[in-house]
Amino acid sequence: MFRKKYSLPVLSVLCVLRGGALALWLIAVVMAAATMAPVAAQFGGKPTRPQVETPKGPVRQVILKNCASCHGIDDYAYYALDRAGWNALIETKHKGLTVPISDADRSLVLDWVVAKFGPDSTKFPRAYVPPEITTFFTDAEAEALLGRACTSCHAVDQVNEARFSADRWRVVTVDMRERGAVLTDEELERLVEWLSRVKGINPNQ
């Protein structure tokens, strides 16, 4: 029996048409799985990490040369230690490694971490995973929350004059909650969304 021959492009089209139902079914399965995934999974299940800016002054070059060349400094925010505690932590972290740092440079680093992350500082939480939000603040709602949760510790000008990305606003807001701002997880995320929308890094904001 005569079998009609098709060119490669025509065969490709036929295959796509015949497999269309299967493709649609696979898409439906994937979309259903995504909607059923836990909220943490939709955000990658990753806790928010702190962001520590490299300091200015003589200690900056010491950190860039001896610390940041191998690892970041964000994890420092997870600790609140005195000088002896920081010295012991550094020894533990670098056990078995050769770290050619002078006593003077080491002292500079210890001075900085104790001043910024000393025993009286507030440790950044390790377990905050941003929840998914489906409703968003109006300007009036966000400003009311700022008035309730933030201005008991500082003037609202500190917020109004800042311009950050969403990730940076989240770090700032989580840190403020650790310091006493009363916010639920959902309020925190809705505030972060509003701040990044209204006071983000876009020059027009």
Side-chain angles (χ1 to χ4, degrees), residues 43 48 124-125 127-133 135-137 141-142 145-146 148-150 166-196:
F43 278 86
T48 297
F124 195 87
Y128 176 73
V129 178
E132 182 180 26
I133 56 172
T135 56
F136 307 94
F137 278 148
E141 290 171 332
L145 182 61
L146 285 174
R148 172 176 67 78
C150 303
D167 286 343
R168 181 61 180 168
W169 273 122
R170 182 173 293 107
V171 169
V172 169
T173 309
V174 169
D175 184 54
M176 290 301 100
R177 185 168 70 170
E178 291 300 303
R179 297 171 187 269
V182 180
L183 295 166
T184 66
D185 286 358
E186 183 172 348
E187 286 176 331
L188 191 154
E189 282 306 310
R190 292 174 72 188
L191 184 59
V192 166
E193 187 280 329
W194 180 81
L195 288 167
S196 62

Side-chain angles (χ1 to χ4, degrees), residues 66-136:
N66 299 282
C67 307
S69 59
C70 295
H71 57 77
I73 62 174
D74 292 341
D75 284 4
Y76 293 175
Y78 290 133
Y79 301 92
L81 305 171
D82 60 14
R83 194 178 189 88
W86 272 111
N87 193 58
L89 179 64
I90 291 172
E91 290 289 341
T92 300
K93 293 287 187 181
H94 298 86
K95 188 175 182 180
L97 302 175
T98 301
V99 183
I101 182 172
S102 67
D103 290 343
D105 285 349
R106 185 189 185 93
S107 182
L108 278 176
V109 173
L110 286 171
D111 289 344
W112 175 69
V113 292
V114 172
K116 190 169 181 64
F117 308 109
D120 295 328
S121 65
T122 301
K123 294 187 288 186
F124 195 87
R126 292 177 177 270
Y128 176 73
V129 178
E132 182 180 26
I133 56 172
T134 56
T135 56
F136 307 94

Side-chain angles (χ1 to χ4, degrees), residues 15-26:
C15 288
V16 169
L17 290 174
R18 290 172 181 173
L22 177 60
L24 289 173
W25 178 80
L26 288 173

Side-chain angles (χ1 to χ4, degrees), residues 20-39:
L22 177 60
L24 289 173
W25 178 80
L26 288 173
I27 291 172
V29 169
V30 170
M31 291 180 67
T35 58
M36 292 186 292
V39 168

Side-chain angles (χ1 to χ4, degrees), residues 139-156:
D139 290 349
E141 290 171 332
E143 288 164 1
L145 182 61
L146 285 174
R148 172 176 67 78
C150 303
T151 56
S152 60
C153 294
H154 58 78
V156 74

